[in-house]
Amino acid sequence: MVGLTLILGLLLSCSNKPKSGRTDTYSTGTVSFVSDDSFSPIIEEQRDIFESMYPQAKLKPIYTNELDAVNMLMTEKVWLAITTRNFTPKEKKNLQDRKFMPRAIPLAYDGLALIVNNANPDTCLSIKDIKRILSGEAKQWKDVFPSSKLGEFDVVFDNAKSSTVHFCADSILGGKPINSPNITAVKKSEEVVNYVSSHENALGVIGSNWLNDKRDTTNVTFNKNIRVVSVSRLDKATAMNSWKPYQYYIFNGNYPLVRTIYALLNDPRNGLPWGFASFLQSPKGQLIFFKAGLLPTRGELNIREVNVSNN
């Protein structure tokens, strides 16, 4: 009887093991997730805090471009992707047809920042100017700024398949391709800053979370190696009608280039990917986004006036 009980126990234990081989729970286990590389600094900070709160949890991040990130989620290589877009209707239907329950959770708002070399005196652009540059209509700096002594635009993105490229083509050009004759695609967001700081003609496109000076707790200064462009909704950009991607200007709608950061979930077990995504939208996770210079989607904001130097 003892032997029979032992065998029955082993059979029951084996039958309870998930077919996927996963044993993670909401706060324990080991899983991989994928994130757009442009958010790696803030996601690394979030991961560190989460793992310190839950010592039995181990998250393995994969930082890549947005296109590959979504593809990994759709093909069940991961169960969580941090992106700047929601599921498309086609993607959602595909997952639902396969008996999954996809979920998109808005986490924060990020300003898409334009950056130039410190030697470039022209730091105000309108949405109309940006369209002309990206479409290839304006090929040289003097096409936008007649007194400019710089040569051709050198537009640099973090990756040819990144969320910044997708945003520019979809939200700025209305779905049309980027046709600027001088496009440089590096591999990571950090390389955009390095490239712009050493190329006078460069115009970099990057997530604003990469630019905050970590010494500034008010998030009103940016990386000292480059200059951040002010952007205007009006056709003629001036210092009075253009705005930088500060949190407050994202909050009040003055800054026009804003994208939403999502946690895309496709986790049938409601395991560790769900646990981390829930942490990201919790008060503590939202505070981390706020301190990194992003605008959290949840929580109350205390607005205060600060003095900003234009030097």
Side-chain angles (χ1 to χ4, degrees):
M1 180 64 68
V2 174
L4 180 61
T5 302
L6 178 60
I7 292 172
L8 180 60
L10 288 173
L11 289 174
L12 289 173
S13 176
C14 291
S15 65
N16 289 332
K17 187 175 181 180
K19 293 181 180 179
S20 65
R22 289 176 56 190
T23 57
D24 58 287
T25 70
Y26 204 73
S27 59
T28 67
T30 301
V31 295
S32 297
F33 73 96
V34 65
S35 172
D36 188 300
D37 176 72
S38 62
F39 303 117
S40 60
I42 180 60
I43 297 302
E44 278 298 289
E45 186 175 352
Q46 296 275 18
R47 183 176 70 91
D48 288 343
I49 299 298
F50 180 82
E51 290 182 348
S52 69
M53 293 174 58
Y54 303 102
Q56 296 184 57
K58 179 64 177 178
L59 294 162
K60 295 183 176 181
I62 302 169
Y63 295 112
T64 185
N65 62 78
E66 186 172 80
L67 180 62
D68 289 345
V70 174
N71 285 339
M72 291 180 69
L73 185 71
M74 295 297 295
T75 55
E76 303 173 46
K77 292 182 173 64
V78 295
W79 307 102
L80 168 65
I82 311 297
T83 71
T84 61
R85 69 169 181 85
N86 202 333
F87 289 106
T88 66
K90 184 177 180 180
E91 289 165 348
K92 184 175 290 187
K93 184 179 185 304
N94 177 281
L95 292 171
Q96 291 171 341
D97 288 346
R98 289 152 55 194
K99 309 303 180 184
F100 289 109
M101 297 180 64
R103 175 79 183 275
I105 302 174
L107 300 174
Y109 303 106
D110 176 47
L112 193 75
L114 304 178
I115 59 176
V116 295
N117 186 274
N118 273 336
N120 191 337
D122 299 312
T123 57
C124 291
L125 287 171
S126 68
I127 295 295
K128 182 178 180 180
D129 294 331
I130 298 168
K131 288 181 179 179
R132 293 180 63 217
I133 295 167
L134 294 177
S135 67
E137 179 185 342
K139 297 179 173 60
Q140 299 189 5
W141 281 94
K142 66 180 181 181
D143 293 337
V144 176
F145 303 99
S147 62
S148 176
K149 295 180 173 58
L150 299 176
E152 293 184 336
F153 284 107
D154 186 359
V155 183
V156 57
F157 288 94
D158 50 350
N159 188 288
K161 298 186 289 184
S162 73
S163 59
T164 56
V165 173
H166 178 266
F167 182 92
C168 287
D170 187 59
S171 299
I172 298 179
L173 294 178
K176 297 179 181 178
I178 299 172
N179 285 326
S180 175
N182 296 305
I183 294 287
T184 300
V186 291
K187 294 182 178 179
K188 295 185 176 182
S189 298
E190 184 179 7
E191 295 178 22
V192 176
V193 179
N194 295 335
Y195 187 96
V196 172
S197 67
S198 59
H199 292 76
E200 290 188 357
N201 288 358
L203 176 67
V205 187
I206 196 171
S208 63
N209 72 101
W210 272 91
L211 302 176
N212 289 304
D213 188 329
K214 301 304 181 183
R215 299 165 297 178
D216 177 19
T217 58
T218 63
N219 289 324
V220 294
T221 61
F222 292 104
N223 190 298
K224 298 298 190 297
N225 295 324
I226 47 82
R227 304 181 76 185
V228 179
V229 173
S230 297
V231 180
S232 175
R233 297 181 188 274
L234 302 180
D235 287 350
K236 179 63 176 178
T238 68
M240 297 300 293
N241 66 23
S242 304
W243 312 91
K244 288 183 171 64
Y246 296 137
Q247 281 172 321
Y248 180 62
Y249 298 145
I250 294 174
F251 173 76
N252 69 9
N254 281 344
Y255 190 73
L257 303 179
V258 179
R259 55 188 183 169
T260 305
I261 303 171
Y262 290 93
L264 300 185
L265 281 156
N266 187 37
D267 183 9
R269 281 180 52 83
N270 290 342
L272 192 54
W274 266 102
F276 186 48
S278 297
F279 170 78
L280 295 176
Q281 64 174 335
S282 72
K284 182 166 288 188
Q286 291 286 282
L287 181 60
I288 295 171
F289 279 124
F290 179 76
K291 289 184 175 180
L294 303 181
L295 184 69
T297 56
R298 298 189 174 194
E300 297 181 359
L301 299 178
N302 295 317
I303 305 301
R304 56 180 175 175
E305 292 186 358
V306 294
N307 294 318
V308 180
S309 173
N310 290 322
N311 295 330

